[in-house]
mmCIF file of all heavy atoms in Angstrom:
data_model
loop_
_atom_site.group_PDB
_atom_site.id
_atom_site.type_symbol
_atom_site.label_atom_id
_atom_site.label_comp_id
_atom_site.label_asym_id
_atom_site.label_seq_id
_atom_site.Cartn_x
_atom_site.Cartn_y
_atom_site.Cartn_z
ATOM 1 N N ARG A 2 103.388 114.563 112.032
ATOM 2 C CA ARG A 2 103.105 116.003 111.939
ATOM 3 C C ARG A 2 102.341 116.385 110.734
ATOM 4 O O ARG A 2 101.431 117.128 110.786
ATOM 5 C CB ARG A 2 104.559 116.600 112.041
ATOM 6 C CG ARG A 2 104.479 118.178 111.900
ATOM 7 C CD ARG A 2 105.965 118.756 111.864
ATOM 8 N NE ARG A 2 106.105 120.096 112.077
ATOM 9 C CZ ARG A 2 106.004 121.064 111.172
ATOM 10 N NH1 ARG A 2 105.924 120.654 109.802
ATOM 11 N NH2 ARG A 2 106.144 122.357 111.390
ATOM 12 N N VAL A 3 102.774 115.779 109.563
ATOM 13 C CA VAL A 3 102.085 115.967 108.352
ATOM 14 C C VAL A 3 100.652 115.435 108.453
ATOM 15 O O VAL A 3 99.626 116.280 108.026
ATOM 16 C CB VAL A 3 102.732 115.281 107.192
ATOM 17 C CG1 VAL A 3 101.947 115.432 105.923
ATOM 18 C CG2 VAL A 3 104.171 115.941 106.949
ATOM 19 N N SER A 4 100.403 114.403 109.044
ATOM 20 C CA SER A 4 99.017 113.828 109.115
ATOM 21 C C SER A 4 98.201 114.805 109.894
ATOM 22 O O SER A 4 97.035 114.986 109.620
ATOM 23 C CB SER A 4 99.083 112.437 109.730
ATOM 24 O OG SER A 4 99.765 111.472 108.937
ATOM 25 N N ALA A 5 98.733 115.252 110.937
ATOM 26 C CA ALA A 5 97.917 116.154 111.879
ATOM 27 C C ALA A 5 97.559 117.545 111.185
ATOM 28 O O ALA A 5 96.578 118.061 111.219
ATOM 29 C CB ALA A 5 98.624 116.410 113.101
ATOM 30 N N ARG A 6 98.649 118.068 110.413
ATOM 31 C CA ARG A 6 98.389 119.362 109.802
ATOM 32 C C ARG A 6 97.520 119.218 108.573
ATOM 33 O O ARG A 6 96.789 120.250 108.293
ATOM 34 C CB ARG A 6 99.788 119.912 109.346
ATOM 35 C CG ARG A 6 100.615 120.446 110.505
ATOM 36 C CD ARG A 6 102.081 120.600 110.087
ATOM 37 N NE ARG A 6 102.298 121.322 108.835
ATOM 38 C CZ ARG A 6 102.572 122.725 108.731
ATOM 39 N NH1 ARG A 6 102.573 123.354 109.802
ATOM 40 N NH2 ARG A 6 102.796 123.286 107.500
ATOM 41 N N ARG A 7 97.618 118.073 107.854
ATOM 42 C CA ARG A 7 96.776 118.077 106.586
ATOM 43 C C ARG A 7 95.734 117.135 106.573
ATOM 44 O O ARG A 7 94.813 117.064 105.600
ATOM 45 C CB ARG A 7 97.853 117.662 105.513
ATOM 46 C CG ARG A 7 98.892 118.692 105.117
ATOM 47 C CD ARG A 7 99.719 118.241 104.015
ATOM 48 N NE ARG A 7 100.709 119.311 103.652
ATOM 49 C CZ ARG A 7 100.502 120.298 102.860
ATOM 50 N NH1 ARG A 7 99.388 120.432 102.231
ATOM 51 N NH2 ARG A 7 101.462 121.309 102.617
ATOM 52 N N GLY A 8 95.465 116.406 107.725
ATOM 53 C CA GLY A 8 94.402 115.544 107.865
ATOM 54 C C GLY A 8 94.499 114.305 106.868
ATOM 55 O O GLY A 8 93.363 113.879 106.279
ATOM 56 N N ILE A 9 95.658 113.758 106.548
ATOM 57 C CA ILE A 9 95.841 112.682 105.740
ATOM 58 C C ILE A 9 96.301 111.433 106.415
ATOM 59 O O ILE A 9 97.060 111.596 107.474
ATOM 60 C CB ILE A 9 96.710 113.021 104.512
ATOM 61 C CG1 ILE A 9 98.117 113.471 104.997
ATOM 62 C CG2 ILE A 9 96.017 114.112 103.590
ATOM 63 C CD1 ILE A 9 99.078 113.828 103.816
ATOM 64 N N ASP A 10 96.065 110.280 105.961
ATOM 65 C CA ASP A 10 96.550 109.062 106.687
ATOM 66 C C ASP A 10 97.843 108.623 106.053
ATOM 67 O O ASP A 10 97.860 108.091 104.944
ATOM 68 C CB ASP A 10 95.474 108.002 106.474
ATOM 69 C CG ASP A 10 95.776 106.691 107.202
ATOM 70 O OD1 ASP A 10 96.805 106.762 107.953
ATOM 71 O OD2 ASP A 10 95.183 105.717 106.975
ATOM 72 N N LEU A 11 98.867 108.633 106.884
ATOM 73 C CA LEU A 11 100.291 108.214 106.443
ATOM 74 C C LEU A 11 100.680 106.934 107.285
ATOM 75 O O LEU A 11 101.785 106.727 107.581
ATOM 76 C CB LEU A 11 101.309 109.249 106.564
ATOM 77 C CG LEU A 11 101.132 110.472 105.486
ATOM 78 C CD1 LEU A 11 102.144 111.484 105.808
ATOM 79 C CD2 LEU A 11 101.130 109.953 104.152
ATOM 80 N N GLY A 12 99.618 106.157 107.734
ATOM 81 C CA GLY A 12 99.881 104.980 108.361
ATOM 82 C C GLY A 12 100.658 105.120 109.672
ATOM 83 O O GLY A 12 101.615 104.448 109.937
ATOM 84 N N ASP A 13 100.240 105.911 110.542
ATOM 85 C CA ASP A 13 100.713 106.315 111.916
ATOM 86 C C ASP A 13 102.138 106.569 111.914
ATOM 87 O O ASP A 13 102.885 106.529 112.943
ATOM 88 C CB ASP A 13 100.351 105.193 112.933
ATOM 89 C CG ASP A 13 101.220 103.896 112.767
ATOM 90 O OD1 ASP A 13 102.110 103.867 112.014
ATOM 91 O OD2 ASP A 13 100.817 102.815 113.507
ATOM 92 N N GLY A 14 102.721 106.996 110.765
ATOM 93 C CA GLY A 14 104.124 107.427 110.693
ATOM 94 C C GLY A 14 105.163 106.374 110.415
ATOM 95 O O GLY A 14 106.359 106.635 110.237
ATOM 96 N N GLY A 15 104.686 105.016 110.513
ATOM 97 C CA GLY A 15 105.623 103.914 110.331
ATOM 98 C C GLY A 15 105.571 103.265 109.051
ATOM 99 O O GLY A 15 106.202 102.294 108.807
ATOM 100 N N ASP A 16 104.694 103.680 108.083
ATOM 101 C CA ASP A 16 104.493 103.135 106.807
ATOM 102 C C ASP A 16 105.255 103.818 105.810
ATOM 103 O O ASP A 16 104.812 104.787 105.199
ATOM 104 C CB ASP A 16 102.971 103.006 106.520
ATOM 105 C CG ASP A 16 102.592 102.268 105.235
ATOM 106 O OD1 ASP A 16 103.631 102.009 104.444
ATOM 107 O OD2 ASP A 16 101.519 101.842 105.121
ATOM 108 N N TYR A 17 106.529 103.380 105.480
ATOM 109 C CA TYR A 17 107.302 104.104 104.628
ATOM 110 C C TYR A 17 106.722 104.118 103.182
ATOM 111 O O TYR A 17 106.730 105.171 102.514
ATOM 112 C CB TYR A 17 108.794 103.458 104.494
ATOM 113 C CG TYR A 17 109.694 104.172 103.553
ATOM 114 C CD1 TYR A 17 110.337 105.304 104.002
ATOM 115 C CD2 TYR A 17 109.726 103.929 102.186
ATOM 116 C CE1 TYR A 17 111.100 106.152 103.224
ATOM 117 C CE2 TYR A 17 110.602 104.786 101.315
ATOM 118 C CZ TYR A 17 111.194 105.758 101.867
ATOM 119 O OH TYR A 17 111.926 106.550 100.922
ATOM 120 N N ASP A 18 106.160 103.060 102.699
ATOM 121 C CA ASP A 18 105.599 103.036 101.340
ATOM 122 C C ASP A 18 104.453 104.123 101.217
ATOM 123 O O ASP A 18 104.360 104.756 100.261
ATOM 124 C CB ASP A 18 105.178 101.662 100.964
ATOM 125 C CG ASP A 18 106.327 100.685 100.808
ATOM 126 O OD1 ASP A 18 107.357 101.138 100.491
ATOM 127 O OD2 ASP A 18 106.119 99.546 101.055
ATOM 128 N N ALA A 19 103.621 104.243 102.353
ATOM 129 C CA ALA A 19 102.583 105.182 102.192
ATOM 130 C C ALA A 19 103.101 106.676 102.155
ATOM 131 O O ALA A 19 102.630 107.483 101.377
ATOM 132 C CB ALA A 19 101.715 105.064 103.434
ATOM 133 N N ILE A 20 104.162 106.891 103.010
ATOM 134 C CA ILE A 20 104.850 108.247 102.970
ATOM 135 C C ILE A 20 105.430 108.537 101.653
ATOM 136 O O ILE A 20 105.341 109.631 101.086
ATOM 137 C CB ILE A 20 105.887 108.299 104.150
ATOM 138 C CG1 ILE A 20 105.269 107.950 105.474
ATOM 139 C CG2 ILE A 20 106.490 109.732 104.170
ATOM 140 C CD1 ILE A 20 106.310 107.816 106.573
ATOM 141 N N TRP A 21 106.190 107.508 101.098
ATOM 142 C CA TRP A 21 106.800 107.670 99.770
ATOM 143 C C TRP A 21 105.773 108.058 98.708
ATOM 144 O O TRP A 21 105.995 108.873 97.974
ATOM 145 C CB TRP A 21 107.580 106.511 99.403
ATOM 146 C CG TRP A 21 108.224 106.534 98.035
ATOM 147 C CD1 TRP A 21 109.410 107.240 97.758
ATOM 148 C CD2 TRP A 21 107.852 106.104 96.825
ATOM 149 N NE1 TRP A 21 109.672 107.231 96.455
ATOM 150 C CE2 TRP A 21 108.651 106.488 95.811
ATOM 151 C CE3 TRP A 21 106.654 105.337 96.460
ATOM 152 C CZ2 TRP A 21 108.549 106.159 94.438
ATOM 153 C CZ3 TRP A 21 106.494 105.011 95.126
ATOM 154 C CH2 TRP A 21 107.409 105.354 94.195
ATOM 155 N N ARG A 22 104.758 107.229 98.688
ATOM 156 C CA ARG A 22 103.753 107.429 97.541
ATOM 157 C C ARG A 22 103.094 108.865 97.707
ATOM 158 O O ARG A 22 103.026 109.509 96.740
ATOM 159 C CB ARG A 22 102.564 106.455 97.806
ATOM 160 C CG ARG A 22 102.852 105.123 97.213
ATOM 161 C CD ARG A 22 101.601 104.219 97.040
ATOM 162 N NE ARG A 22 100.897 103.952 98.340
ATOM 163 C CZ ARG A 22 101.201 103.003 99.159
ATOM 164 N NH1 ARG A 22 102.200 102.079 98.861
ATOM 165 N NH2 ARG A 22 100.667 102.869 100.395
ATOM 166 N N TRP A 23 102.824 109.312 98.970
ATOM 167 C CA TRP A 23 102.296 110.755 99.099
ATOM 168 C C TRP A 23 103.369 111.718 98.612
ATOM 169 O O TRP A 23 103.095 112.604 97.913
ATOM 170 C CB TRP A 23 102.078 110.925 100.578
ATOM 171 C CG TRP A 23 101.864 112.457 100.892
ATOM 172 C CD1 TRP A 23 100.854 113.308 100.478
ATOM 173 C CD2 TRP A 23 102.833 113.288 101.614
ATOM 174 N NE1 TRP A 23 101.102 114.574 101.003
ATOM 175 C CE2 TRP A 23 102.290 114.605 101.707
ATOM 176 C CE3 TRP A 23 104.000 112.941 102.252
ATOM 177 C CZ2 TRP A 23 102.911 115.615 102.344
ATOM 178 C CZ3 TRP A 23 104.675 114.024 102.946
ATOM 179 C CH2 TRP A 23 104.098 115.375 102.862
ATOM 180 N N SER A 24 104.663 111.423 98.885
ATOM 181 C CA SER A 24 105.725 112.385 98.635
ATOM 182 C C SER A 24 105.919 112.562 97.141
ATOM 183 O O SER A 24 106.311 113.642 96.627
ATOM 184 C CB SER A 24 107.057 111.945 99.309
ATOM 185 O OG SER A 24 107.644 110.882 98.676
ATOM 186 N N VAL A 25 105.772 111.460 96.403
ATOM 187 C CA VAL A 25 105.942 111.687 94.902
ATOM 188 C C VAL A 25 104.657 112.053 94.136
ATOM 189 O O VAL A 25 104.822 112.692 93.099
ATOM 190 C CB VAL A 25 106.550 110.276 94.309
ATOM 191 C CG1 VAL A 25 107.906 110.014 94.831
ATOM 192 C CG2 VAL A 25 105.634 109.078 94.569
ATOM 193 N N GLU A 26 103.512 111.723 94.688
ATOM 194 C CA GLU A 26 102.287 112.173 94.118
ATOM 195 C C GLU A 26 101.915 113.580 94.491
ATOM 196 O O GLU A 26 101.201 114.248 93.718
ATOM 197 C CB GLU A 26 101.233 111.222 94.524
ATOM 198 C CG GLU A 26 101.329 109.762 94.059
ATOM 199 C CD GLU A 26 100.293 108.802 94.663
ATOM 200 O OE1 GLU A 26 99.457 109.318 95.395
ATOM 201 O OE2 GLU A 26 100.306 107.580 94.345
ATOM 202 N N HIS A 27 102.519 114.108 95.554
ATOM 203 C CA HIS A 27 102.215 115.452 95.981
ATOM 204 C C HIS A 27 103.522 116.197 96.300
ATOM 205 O O HIS A 27 103.825 116.535 97.426
ATOM 206 C CB HIS A 27 101.275 115.511 97.179
ATOM 207 C CG HIS A 27 99.973 114.753 96.931
ATOM 208 N ND1 HIS A 27 98.876 115.344 96.178
ATOM 209 C CD2 HIS A 27 99.495 113.512 97.238
ATOM 210 C CE1 HIS A 27 97.901 114.494 96.159
ATOM 211 N NE2 HIS A 27 98.339 113.340 96.760
ATOM 212 N N LEU A 28 104.321 116.409 95.266
ATOM 213 C CA LEU A 28 105.615 117.032 95.541
ATOM 214 C C LEU A 28 105.563 118.433 96.264
ATOM 215 O O LEU A 28 106.309 118.713 97.043
ATOM 216 C CB LEU A 28 106.400 117.240 94.141
ATOM 217 C CG LEU A 28 106.877 115.983 93.517
ATOM 218 C CD1 LEU A 28 107.539 116.377 92.137
ATOM 219 C CD2 LEU A 28 107.913 115.306 94.340
ATOM 220 N N ASP A 29 104.432 119.108 95.772
ATOM 221 C CA ASP A 29 104.337 120.398 96.301
ATOM 222 C C ASP A 29 104.001 120.392 97.885
ATOM 223 O O ASP A 29 104.752 121.182 98.668
ATOM 224 C CB ASP A 29 103.199 121.313 95.641
ATOM 225 C CG ASP A 29 101.920 120.437 95.506
ATOM 226 O OD1 ASP A 29 101.908 119.287 95.882
ATOM 227 O OD2 ASP A 29 100.952 120.977 94.930
ATOM 228 N N GLN A 30 103.306 119.557 98.291
ATOM 229 C CA GLN A 30 102.888 119.326 99.694
ATOM 230 C C GLN A 30 104.163 118.824 100.491
ATOM 231 O O GLN A 30 104.444 119.366 101.559
ATOM 232 C CB GLN A 30 101.700 118.278 99.860
ATOM 233 C CG GLN A 30 100.391 118.853 99.354
ATOM 234 C CD GLN A 30 99.213 117.738 99.535
ATOM 235 O OE1 GLN A 30 99.432 116.909 100.508
ATOM 236 N NE2 GLN A 30 98.243 117.742 98.905
ATOM 237 N N PHE A 31 104.797 117.902 99.908
ATOM 238 C CA PHE A 31 105.930 117.210 100.536
ATOM 239 C C PHE A 31 107.039 118.334 100.858
ATOM 240 O O PHE A 31 107.529 118.464 102.018
ATOM 241 C CB PHE A 31 106.564 116.000 99.819
ATOM 242 C CG PHE A 31 107.899 115.592 100.440
ATOM 243 C CD1 PHE A 31 107.794 114.623 101.516
ATOM 244 C CD2 PHE A 31 109.073 115.916 99.939
ATOM 245 C CE1 PHE A 31 108.871 114.181 102.157
ATOM 246 C CE2 PHE A 31 110.150 115.436 100.523
ATOM 247 C CZ PHE A 31 110.105 114.546 101.554
#
């Protein structure tokens, strides 16, 4: 859902480390 709304690559939803990195680097977005 986030990838579709924001146009960012979170590894097709199954890459936890990619999701985590985005979440801590972009707290406001997360």
Side-chain angles (χ1 to χ4, degrees):
R2 180 182 192 267
V3 171
S4 295
R6 282 163 53 92
R7 293 185 177 268
I9 57 179
D10 181 11
L11 294 179
D13 75 9
D16 185 342
Y17 182 83
D18 292 328
I20 303 168
W21 178 80
R22 282 193 298 272
W23 165 72
S24 73
V25 295
E26 292 172 1
H27 302 280
L28 289 177
D29 49 357
Q30 295 181 20
F31 174 80

